[in-house]
Amino acid sequence: MPGRELAEARRLIHAARREVDPRSKWSAELAACERRLDEPLRVALAGTLKSGKSTLLNALIGDEIAPTDATECTRVVTWFQQAAAPRIDLVARGQQRRLPVLRTDGHLSLDLGVPADAVERLTVSWPSSLLNDYTVIDTPGTSSNSRDVSERTLALLAPEDGPCEADAVVYLMRDLRDADVQLLQSIHHQMTIGAGPLGVLGVLSRADEIDGGRGDSLDAAYRVSATLAEAPELRGLHQSFLPVSGLLALRGQTLRQTEFLALRSLASLPPGALDAALISVARFTAPEAPLPVPAEERRHLVEAFSLFGIRLAVSMIRSGCADAPALSAELVRRSGLDDLRCTINIRFGERNEQLRAYSALSRLAHILHRYQSAATAELSRQVARSLADTHTFAELRLLSTIRANRLSEPDRARAARILGGEGIAPQRRLGLPPEASRAECRAVALRAIRHWRGQLDNPLLDPLTAATCRAAARSCETIIAAGN
């Protein structure tokens, strides 16, 4: 039944509010907990320093509103939410104030006016179709050289006291580093104790730079992302890995006519002449270079597209992208952004009610644990049962660790699909075409139940693999019950 989890969470929060003094801090926390049920899903972008989070966020939103240069703004957690008109709010040292909305050369300029360590909350409200469905949290890049900055990210994603503020995490990596493994392990630990996000999606970021930004960088990025997806160090810490070039995606969405004309002029050169100029930034931007684009424009193209992006855009123009809209569409398509958006929608968007309910119940459990009384003891037990027994929550937990079980690769893929990893419609879960009838769904679901129950006869199954098999069978039973 749609909304069942939200309704149950709301009922339990209302019951808790009746037991708490309305003048206490607990009442205010419960009110915030209830408001979360009606807010968009919270998705955090995380990763180590220079992993490309802000560029990817700009690409997802389609506007350059997240600072990408090393300023004080990139050292604080920034919340991006939907609004009818642009607005920036800062809370620092207990005081809230509105910051001016300024654009410089198309970029949003933010001047905090205070050191990063004084900032308690920075919120950018912006008109965006993405922000209608998600509140996006841009976290500072973690780094062993900036412990205070890293701690801000850890405080959000893996707090020592209380549940995570985010419902799901998109984690960006450029390669496999100890810092990435450690942060993902911290997030996973929160998940195992019921205080973490129920989804972690991995992204191989800055995919255009793989193999040194040569012409086959995007192809190489798919190979690297497949390797990362199966890396033993990351097993059980993420759901999947996708290669994405945030830079190409952003440039595709913000391409100016003047930029297209400059790129078209470069495309008119003999390939050998342009390739020689694109060997290095210094050679390409040299004032004396015999190129049909002024040096100042060439410098802008390098800053905006990188040498790889210029090569790729020129190749696309030579292959038939005859105008700016055609080039824009092709840049976005090649960037991997559409695949990422689709995966976010399938993994998080289709589950937004369940994820919000889980986050609210986790927060409620934490509040009731601190506010212990005879009146709330039974309520605490009800909340714990709901978190443990609700099947959709079990599906989400198992999907987040699907690569850690010991099923064969084909069975792992089937289990992930049945648990809703490729969409929650019955046909998607069962691997059937969208037009499949209820009778077809029932027949396939019955065969799947027999398969997963058969797997449970193996006495050597570890607990996680056994739980996955039981959940897969139950998901099929739910499909049959809904179709009757």
Side-chain angles (χ1 to χ4, degrees):
M1 180 185 299
R4 179 176 56 193
E5 294 86 4
L6 280 179
E8 177 64 4
R10 202 178 303 276
R11 181 189 72 80
L12 291 168
I13 294 170
H14 284 176
R17 294 188 73 175
R18 287 194 295 269
E19 302 295 339
V20 171
D21 185 341
R23 297 165 297 181
S24 70
K25 69 172 185 176
W26 309 109
S27 181
E29 288 193 27
L30 288 169
C33 190
E34 184 174 8
R35 286 195 300 273
R36 186 159 181 178
L37 294 174
D38 300 312
E39 295 174 351
L41 204 64
R42 297 176 178 179
V43 177
L45 300 185
T48 52
L49 195 65
K50 297 295 184 182
S51 60
K53 296 182 302 303
S54 297
T55 300
L56 181 60
L57 188 150
N58 287 334
L60 286 166
I61 292 176
D63 201 353
E64 298 190 67
I65 63 173
T68 57
D69 50 349
T71 64
E72 286 289 279
C73 299
T74 59
R75 296 168 58 85
V76 302
V77 174
T78 307
W79 296 65
F80 293 85
Q81 63 184 27
Q82 172 66 18
R87 191 179 74 242
I88 305 168
D89 296 293
L90 174 74
V91 179
R93 297 175 178 142
Q95 300 294 317
Q96 180 170 340
R97 61 189 178 91
R98 184 74 50 83
L99 298 182
V101 179
L102 303 173
R103 302 296 290 260
T104 303
D105 193 27
H107 305 264
L108 181 66
S109 297
L110 291 176
D111 182 6
L112 302 181
V114 294
D117 57 9
V119 175
E120 298 162 31
R121 180 106 172 189
L122 179 62
T123 304
V124 176
S125 304
W126 207 262
S128 164
S129 58
L130 176 88
L131 297 177
N132 278 327
D133 300 319
Y134 305 99
T135 292
V136 183
I137 310 169
D138 190 15
T139 64
T142 56
S143 168
S144 59
N145 297 325
S146 304
R147 184 174 179 82
D148 58 331
V149 175
S150 300
E151 286 177 350
R152 294 185 193 115
T153 297
L154 284 170
L156 178 88
L157 300 178
E160 294 181 359
D161 182 26
C164 173
E165 290 276 3
D167 301 306
V169 176
V170 174
Y171 194 90
L172 282 68
M173 295 175 59
R174 299 178 66 185
D175 48 32
L176 186 58
R177 303 181 185 182
D178 289 343
D180 293 307
V181 176
Q182 290 168 8
L183 182 52
L184 284 168
Q185 286 175 338
S186 297
I187 295 171
H188 179 71
H189 173 71
Q190 291 295 105
M191 192 185 304
T192 59
I193 64 174
L198 280 184
V200 177
L201 176 62
V203 167
L204 177 66
S205 61
R206 301 176 70 159
D208 52 291
E209 298 178 9
I210 302 298
D211 274 1
R214 292 194 292 272
D216 60 350
S217 288
L218 295 180
D219 293 334
Y222 279 95
R223 295 193 296 271
V224 173
S225 63
T227 301
L228 282 174
E230 297 299 330
E233 299 93 332
L234 300 176
R235 183 151 294 173
L237 302 182
H238 66 88
Q239 290 172 260
S240 61
F241 259 93
L242 297 173
V244 180
S245 169
L247 182 64
L248 291 183
L250 180 60
R251 291 301 151 234
Q253 295 176 94
T254 60
L255 181 68
R256 304 171 185 173
Q257 181 65 16
T258 54
E259 293 170 337
F260 172 77
L261 293 175
L263 290 166
R264 190 174 66 179
S265 295
L266 293 173
S268 67
L269 289 170
L274 183 58
D275 291 344
L278 287 171
I279 288 176
S280 69
V281 171
R283 181 174 293 192
F284 180 70
T285 58
E288 67 276 9
L291 299 171
V293 176
E296 185 176 348
E297 286 188 49
R298 281 181 269 136
R299 284 191 292 271
H300 167 77
L301 288 177
V302 170
E303 291 174 1
F305 289 83
S306 78
L307 291 180
F308 172 79
I310 294 171
R311 290 191 197 99
L312 184 62
V314 165
S315 174
M316 290 174 177
I317 292 171
R318 288 171 174 166
S319 298
C321 290
D323 53 31
L327 180 59
S328 294
E330 188 63 13
L331 284 170
V332 172
R333 187 189 71 80
R334 290 290 301 274
S335 72
L337 183 69
D338 289 340
D339 287 344
L340 177 61
R341 282 174 169 163
C342 180
T343 303
I344 288 175
N345 182 57
I346 289 173
R347 298 287 172 84
F348 306 148
E350 291 186 5
R351 302 271 199 169
N352 78 84
E353 290 188 354
Q354 292 91 347
L355 284 165
R356 284 185 284 135
Y358 183 87
S359 294
L361 286 173
S362 298
R363 175 68 61 183
L364 177 59
H366 180 66
I367 294 170
L368 293 175
H369 176 73
R370 290 181 296 152
Y371 185 85
Q372 294 185 10
S373 70
T376 60
E378 173 56 26
L379 200 56
S380 292
R381 287 191 285 271
Q382 290 183 42
V383 173
R385 281 197 298 271
S386 182
L387 286 169
D389 297 341
T390 300
H391 181 58
T392 53
F393 296 161
E395 285 184 330
L396 288 164
R397 281 193 292 268
L398 290 167
L399 273 173
S400 67
T401 57
I402 195 71
R403 293 182 178 277
N405 66 50
R406 296 179 184 174
L407 291 169
S408 66
E409 187 55 40
D411 265 354
R412 187 183 300 152
R414 292 188 196 102
R417 188 180 64 236
I418 287 173
L419 295 174
E422 297 179 12
I424 61 175
Q427 291 85 351
R428 295 293 296 272
R429 287 177 182 264
L430 297 170
L432 294 171
E435 64 274 11
S437 66
R438 286 186 176 182
E440 290 175 298
C441 289
R442 178 183 174 84
V444 174
L446 284 171
R447 289 198 298 271
I449 290 171
R450 288 194 291 271
H451 173 78
W452 294 114
R453 286 179 176 169
Q455 297 292 312
L456 289 168
D457 291 337
N458 182 353
L460 300 179
L461 282 188
D462 63 282
L464 177 60
T465 305
T468 302
C469 294
R470 281 193 295 269
R474 186 173 175 184
S475 294
C476 292
E477 291 167 353
T478 302
I479 291 171
I480 293 172
N484 289 337

